[in-house]
Amino acid sequence: MNKLPEHFRLNLNGVADPRSIVQGKNYRFTVLTSQMLRMEYSEDGIFEDRPTQVVWNRNFTVPEFTVNDRPDCLEIDTEYFHLVYDKKEFGPNHLYIDVKYAFTNYGGRWYYGRTEYGDPPRKHNLKGTARTLDRCDGDRYLGSNLLEQIDQSLRVDLGFGLCDTSGRTFFEDGNSSTIDEDGWLHPRKKGCIDTYFLGYGRDYFKAIHDFYMLSGPIPMLPKYALGNWWSRYWKYTEESYKELLTDFEKRNIPFSVVIMDMDWHLVDIPTRFGRGWTGYTWNKEYFPDPERFLNWLHEHNYRVALNLHPADGVRAFEEQYPEMAKALGVNPESEYPVRFDFTNIEFVRAYFDYLHHPHEEQGVDFWWMDWQQGNISAVEGLDPLWMLNHYHHYDLRRDGKRGIMASRYGGLGSHRYPIGFSGDVHTTWESIQYQPYFTATAANVGYTWWSHDIGGFMKGIKDNELYIRWLQLGVFSPINRLHSCNNSFVSKVPWNYPSPYCEIAEETLRLRHRLLPYVYTMNYQCHNDMVPVVVPVYYYYPMDMGSYRYRNEYFFGDQLLVQPMVHPTDKETGRTAEQTWIPKGIWTDVYDGKIYHGGEKGRDKVITRPIDRQGVLAKAGAIVPMADIRGCEKDISNPQTLEIYVFPGGSNTYVLYEDEGDGFAYEKGVWLKTTISLDWKETSAVLNICPEGDFSVIPDRRKYVVHFRGFKDVEVASASEGYERSYDKAARTLTLTFEGADPERELSVELQGDLLCDNSDLQERAFALLNGFQGSVNMKDSIFQCIKNGSSEKEMLGSILAFDPPESWKQVLTEMITG
């Protein structure tokens, strides 16, 4: 049988509408949108209509465009670009495109193949992502050999992205293989040009949205993937792993995914078979009854993934060797290895049938593809990593589950195979300082589900603060996957750290599971609306130069702005300081309700946070749904008690999405959408909650707890049902609890009064802050007198600065006074 199974057949459409095509003897242009153009050149005049590894759909709605076709010149004009081509072989002297609505003085014209600013040109490009961060310390690649470790100039190359401040960019598709109707790949004919031009100006969201339309959307992840992951390169046994997870449960620390690194299989093998990195046979010394262990994990609400290093094929010591050898025509008695070859259909079929499906029948939920053997295969230009990612994803979907795996980035189009595994990084401050930028920038090639070794994997240092700051970054990252090496002094369990770090770590991990309603809605928005889950700030403010200035700042979903704390805490103030840009308007700290003002154009500001808080601001009118997980920390099902955090400053509508969490019933309408809207006025605010859809996906009772954070303790003018009320002055939060019962009910509440919190309690907060500072008590007293006696922010700050306090004090005090 020289065909793949049916579940690898994809319904792809590589043929464009003929009305969008402009064609000559050796060239073909396809106007896909008014901002996206396909350009092909072929000496034999034969062009490609099959889908490729990168491009799955060319059947777009035909946009408006005009053509001026003369014997020696072709012009194509749309609303956004103008192409000029002299009908010769593509080159910078023969083809150029002008982008309308110029964004740079000199960069608005794109010349085909021009390399003045590098190859490809990078002067204005916002970059993309990299295959891996293995062996990196920050953006420095330390390498695997001595010469690479000595060379301090080796840096991570993020490549060429699909977003560009000049308003235009491109990508080449001439080298990617084509996909036939059976789902198998074939090399492209050599020498053909197949280039896609993108002229989206600075509408980065639309550029990525249309790339997803072209390349295929990001699939829905199962809900369990969005909780906390536990992973460690460690020789666990069945008993030791169960003991560890039981300790987590006793402490109410939630995890939804557990990873088993390579020691799940036989590693110490006879030397005649080589190394033990590749393996498919359970180590029965450690796991005498694998199915029993996997059942225990599922009974305790964990999903499990096994580590894979498939490059060494299948050798004679494996339990699966006789079947694999027979399927691939190898004499089992010879003990010749079954060579790994993902360009061979028969190998691919046997690989899944004998090596993976039996494990999945035992209870393995998905796989961690730890491919580290480069991009060479038996077919020139075909990357084994891409093949593994693609076929594993669709194989897992064969029984109605959503496809998921953890693997490294395999190039454009890899967004279709979440989740990214970024590799083994050093445990240093430099590493955490690079990861936020790396994660957000990947949106520029549509790759949004990166997971990192939270806490760092190897080498480096043990630092209590670094551990906490990395966990906090993980909570506000696409995936929160803790991982570490087999060094006995490297462990990510919270109780390996002293108080208060242990307690902060535990609460941080709980926060991730509390955020699941918000993160799962991000998951749906990503799939349905075709928007990355994490984006740089410049996606929302592309014309504001401040949005490009601080590269670690990003949006987590569409409600929260994150400036992660990635530097050590100042010993005098007990706070970490980060330079950031506050966009225009009102922003609210999600932890204590402090109000920040970005003004009319946004402004640069230093924000500071104590060790137990991350730098997260909610936009004006933000609505953030969360789960009350007390007493059910490991339960990731849709919550009975839904907490809704509402922030001041503007009107907003948010749609919470819930479904069964796995499978594809949502495609048939088995989902619930709850529209939560805030109508904001200067002296009143009305919140409405309106659920609609299939109520079978949520509990038969639903309690709402609404937290108005950043609000004063104002009057509740009206409510559609009875409630309990409380006010937390420290968190500036008014809480209304609606016990309710019927999950189908609508809820409405109106607040009246002077709603927005101000600095009226400045003296009280200033005293508490100064009291915690380490340093001169006389200076603290003098500063407090300035705050007590000052009549304006300007007067207070002027008086304080006259005492010349330490720079860290200035930062904290300025933030507290000015917001």
Side-chain angles (χ1 to χ4, degrees):
M1 297 177 63
N2 204 28
K3 285 188 176 182
L4 291 170
E6 188 68 23
H7 58 271
F8 292 119
R9 293 173 62 94
L10 307 177
N11 185 24
L12 307 181
N13 192 350
V15 180
D17 191 309
R19 295 173 296 169
S20 66
I21 294 174
V22 180
Q23 185 170 341
K25 179 181 178 182
N26 302 112
Y27 63 84
R28 183 170 74 166
F29 296 97
T30 307
V31 186
L32 295 165
T33 75
S34 60
Q35 296 166 284
M36 185 189 295
L37 178 71
R38 184 189 189 195
M39 301 173 287
E40 297 172 273
Y41 187 90
S42 172
E43 287 292 345
D44 60 13
I46 298 175
F47 302 101
E48 185 59 72
D49 285 327
R50 290 173 294 181
T52 70
Q53 289 174 277
V54 177
V55 174
W56 283 13
N57 169 51
R58 303 187 188 97
N59 188 23
F60 284 65
T61 301
V62 179
E64 291 187 9
F65 66 95
T66 60
V67 178
N68 183 8
D69 191 352
R70 303 189 301 275
D72 59 351
C73 184
L74 173 70
E75 296 179 80
I76 300 175
D77 189 82
T78 76
E79 180 183 355
Y80 292 95
F81 68 80
H82 185 89
L83 174 143
V84 179
Y85 170 51
D86 68 5
K87 301 188 176 182
K88 299 177 182 178
E89 184 175 356
F90 288 180
N93 302 111
H94 306 298
L95 190 161
Y96 66 84
I97 300 176
D98 284 326
V99 180
K100 299 178 182 180
Y101 312 107
F103 294 95
T104 67
N105 291 329
Y106 306 105
R109 174 168 290 184
W110 179 82
Y111 294 91
Y112 183 91
R114 182 177 178 181
T115 59
E116 180 177 337
Y117 300 123
D119 186 14
R122 297 170 183 248
K123 184 175 183 181
H124 310 98
N125 195 264
L126 293 168
K127 302 183 180 180
T129 196
R131 187 181 183 97
T132 180
L133 293 179
D134 280 309
R135 305 185 186 93
C136 286
D137 183 10
D139 68 344
R140 289 192 304 127
Y141 175 68
L142 298 184
S144 58
N145 62 60
L146 182 59
L147 291 179
E148 288 177 329
Q149 293 172 19
I150 292 174
D151 186 352
Q152 298 294 301
S153 67
L154 294 174
R155 301 285 172 175
V156 176
D157 181 4
L158 296 185
F160 198 63
L162 303 178
C163 299
D164 198 292
T165 59
S166 70
R168 82 292 186 279
T169 185
F170 69 98
F171 69 88
E172 301 282 1
D173 195 38
N175 293 323
S176 67
S177 296
T178 61
I179 304 175
D180 66 23
E181 292 180 353
D182 294 322
W184 191 241
L185 271 69
H186 303 274
R188 291 282 290 272
K189 179 178 61 176
K190 290 187 177 181
C192 291
I193 293 173
D194 190 357
T195 303
Y196 288 78
F197 171 84
L198 289 76
Y200 284 84
R202 293 189 184 172
D203 191 346
Y204 307 131
F205 276 119
K206 193 166 191 303
I208 298 304
H209 173 278
D210 286 1
F211 175 68
Y212 287 154
M213 290 285 292
L214 180 76
S215 187
I218 294 180
M220 280 280 284
L221 293 180
K223 191 174 185 180
Y224 65 77
L226 305 179
N228 298 317
W229 295 32
W230 178 262
S231 178
R232 189 182 184 189
Y233 178 30
W234 192 255
K235 290 184 180 295
Y236 285 114
T237 65
E238 176 180 359
E239 292 307 313
S240 66
Y241 217 143
K242 289 166 66 174
E243 181 180 355
L244 170 70
L245 296 176
T246 300
D247 284 341
F248 281 130
E249 293 170 13
K250 289 178 179 178
R251 295 169 179 263
N252 296 320
I253 304 173
F255 285 88
S256 57
V257 174
V258 295
I259 301 290
M260 302 181 69
D261 210 321
M262 58 185 290
D263 288 294
W264 71 269
H265 63 72
L266 296 175
V267 173
D268 300 321
I269 61 175
T271 56
R272 70 180 186 277
F273 295 119
R275 57 187 182 174
W277 279 65
T278 297
Y280 301 97
T281 304
W282 281 94
N283 185 333
K284 297 296 179 63
E285 180 184 350
Y286 296 165
F287 300 95
D289 188 341
E291 191 165 350
R292 178 183 66 196
F293 176 57
L294 295 171
N295 286 337
W296 185 90
L297 291 174
H298 288 151
E299 289 167 2
H300 287 248
N301 291 334
Y302 300 110
R303 297 296 185 271
V304 60
L306 303 185
N307 174 274
L308 289 176
H309 293 91
D312 289 337
V314 183
R315 292 162 290 179
F317 66 85
E318 301 279 12
E319 291 178 354
Q320 303 87 349
Y321 176 75
E323 292 176 305
M324 285 293 293
K326 182 179 178 181
L328 275 300
V330 175
N331 180 2
E333 296 181 2
S334 72
E335 292 196 348
Y336 284 179
V338 177
R339 185 169 58 89
F340 174 86
D341 182 6
F342 237 65
T343 65
N344 179 343
I345 288 182
E346 293 304 322
F347 178 85
V348 173
R349 291 181 65 97
Y351 173 86
F352 288 114
D353 288 346
Y354 302 125
L355 303 181
H356 295 85
H357 294 172
H359 288 307
E360 291 167 21
E361 290 167 6
Q362 284 184 318
V364 174
D365 293 288
F366 67 102
W367 302 89
W368 167 18
M369 177 55 60
D370 204 354
W371 180 265
Q372 301 177 51
Q373 282 71 38
N375 56 6
I376 304 299
S377 73
V379 175
E380 183 180 354
L382 195 55
D383 187 344
L385 177 63
W386 188 96
M387 298 281 283
L388 288 162
N389 292 351
H390 174 83
Y391 290 111
H392 264 284
H393 177 86
Y394 283 97
D395 188 65
L396 272 177
R397 290 166 54 121
R398 72 190 183 280
D399 295 327
K401 296 194 304 183
R402 299 179 192 173
I404 176 180
M405 68 183 305
S407 186
R408 292 168 175 84
Y409 176 70
L412 274 181
S414 292
H415 62 273
R416 299 184 300 255
Y417 319 118
I419 293 167
F421 158 61
S422 66
D424 302 334
V425 299
H426 288 224
T427 308
T428 63
W429 285 100
E430 287 76 15
S431 287
I432 190 179
Q433 288 160 11
Y434 183 64
Q435 283 184 358
Y437 166 69
F438 179 87
T439 306
T441 303
N444 296 336
V445 287
Y447 199 70
T448 195
W449 286 111
W450 268 124
S451 78
H452 302 297
D453 290 354
I454 295 300
F457 177 75
M458 61 183 183
K459 299 185 178 179
I461 58 174
K462 178 175 180 180
D463 185 307
N464 298 334
E465 291 184 12
L466 176 60
Y467 169 68
I468 294 298
R469 291 309 191 192
W470 225 322
L471 287 184
Q472 292 168 342
L473 175 63
V475 167
F476 292 96
S477 292
I479 301 294
N480 190 29
R481 178 180 54 81
L482 283 65
H483 191 42
S484 56
C485 68
N486 58 1
N487 186 316
S488 298
F489 293 97
V490 178
S491 176
K492 300 301 186 298
V493 294
W495 53 89
N496 194 43
Y497 296 82
S499 183
Y501 304 102
C502 173
E503 293 80 7
I504 295 171
E506 292 179 354
E507 195 58 36
T508 301
L509 291 167
R510 294 185 194 109
L511 176 59
R512 175 65 180 205
H513 279 236
R514 291 183 62 208
L515 278 165
L516 278 177
Y518 180 71
V519 179
Y520 193 70
T521 298
M522 289 165 53
N523 178 30
Y524 174 74
Q525 292 169 335
C526 178
H527 168 71
N528 188 70
D529 303 336
M530 299 189 185
V531 294
V533 296
V534 166
V535 297
V537 178
Y538 52 71
Y539 271 56
Y540 284 93
Y541 302 93
M543 303 309 294
D544 294 315
M545 292 303 99
S547 69
Y548 298 85
R549 194 169 295 134
Y550 304 109
R551 69 182 197 174
N552 273 356
E553 190 178 23
Y554 61 87
F555 271 90
F556 185 67
D558 58 2
Q559 306 291 302
L560 300 177
L561 176 65
V562 181
Q563 175 59 70
M565 300 289 110
V566 292
H567 290 86
T569 296
D570 178 75
K571 301 308 178 186
E572 293 195 2
T573 65
R575 301 170 79 93
T576 297
E578 300 288 348
Q579 184 75 47
T580 193
W581 183 73
I582 308 291
K584 62 183 179 181
I586 291 173
W587 298 82
T588 306
D589 181 84
V590 300
Y591 291 91
D592 67 7
K594 179 176 175 56
I595 303 299
Y596 292 80
H597 298 275
E600 292 298 319
K601 297 182 179 180
R603 61 176 178 143
D604 295 333
K605 188 170 185 62
V606 174
I607 64 170
T608 68
R609 295 293 183 271
I611 189 62
D612 61 343
R613 295 180 182 178
Q614 179 64 290
V616 186
L617 302 179
K619 71 178 185 180
I623 297 166
V624 180
M626 297 175 69
D628 182 350
I629 65 171
R630 288 172 296 181
C632 54
E633 282 80 4
K634 292 199 305 91
D635 185 0
I636 63 170
S637 58
N638 297 322
Q640 180 172 315
T641 299
L642 186 66
E643 297 189 82
I644 301 173
Y645 284 79
V646 182
F647 297 87
S651 297
N652 184 30
T653 298
Y654 178 88
V655 181
L656 167 68
Y657 176 85
E658 297 170 283
D659 64 19
E660 294 177 338
D662 203 351
F664 297 93
Y666 72 92
E667 295 180 347
K668 300 177 181 179
V670 184
W671 47 255
L672 184 75
K673 294 180 180 179
T674 302
T675 300
I676 309 170
S677 61
L678 178 67
D679 183 13
W680 171 270
K681 296 181 174 61
E682 288 187 7
T683 57
S684 69
V686 177
L687 183 76
N688 289 299
I689 303 173
C690 303
E692 61 176 347
D694 190 331
F695 287 86
S696 69
V697 303
I698 65 171
D700 56 9
R701 296 175 62 88
R702 174 151 278 181
K703 172 181 176 181
Y704 291 108
V705 181
V706 183
H707 304 281
F708 293 94
R709 181 148 290 175
F711 287 70
K712 290 181 179 178
D713 189 4
V714 295
E715 175 189 357
V716 179
S718 64
S720 59
E721 64 181 68
Y723 59 88
E724 293 183 3
R725 170 196 178 114
S726 64
Y727 190 79
D728 184 339
K729 186 176 180 181
R732 303 177 176 95
T733 301
L734 171 64
T735 297
L736 304 180
T737 300
F738 300 88
E739 290 290 344
D742 182 4
E744 299 187 33
R745 74 193 189 279
E746 296 185 0
L747 182 66
S748 179
V749 60
E750 180 179 2
L751 305 181
Q752 285 188 350
D754 184 12
L755 304 176
L756 192 65
C757 272
D758 53 29
N759 254 350
S760 57
D761 59 351
L762 177 62
Q763 289 187 30
E764 181 180 346
R765 291 180 182 270
F767 183 87
L769 194 68
L770 287 164
N771 194 42
F773 281 9
Q774 304 296 297
S776 169
V777 293
N778 288 339
M779 181 172 289
K780 290 202 282 187
D781 184 64
S782 298
I783 289 173
F784 186 62
Q785 296 305 316
C786 295
I787 294 173
K788 286 178 63 177
N789 299 325
S791 59
S792 67
E793 293 178 359
K794 184 177 181 180
E795 182 181 342
M796 288 183 210
L797 288 175
S799 301
I800 290 171
L801 294 178
F803 289 102
D804 193 25
E807 183 62 29
S808 60
W809 291 32
K810 294 178 189 176
Q811 292 171 340
V812 176
L813 293 166
T814 300
E815 178 189 21
M816 180 186 65
I817 292 170
T818 63

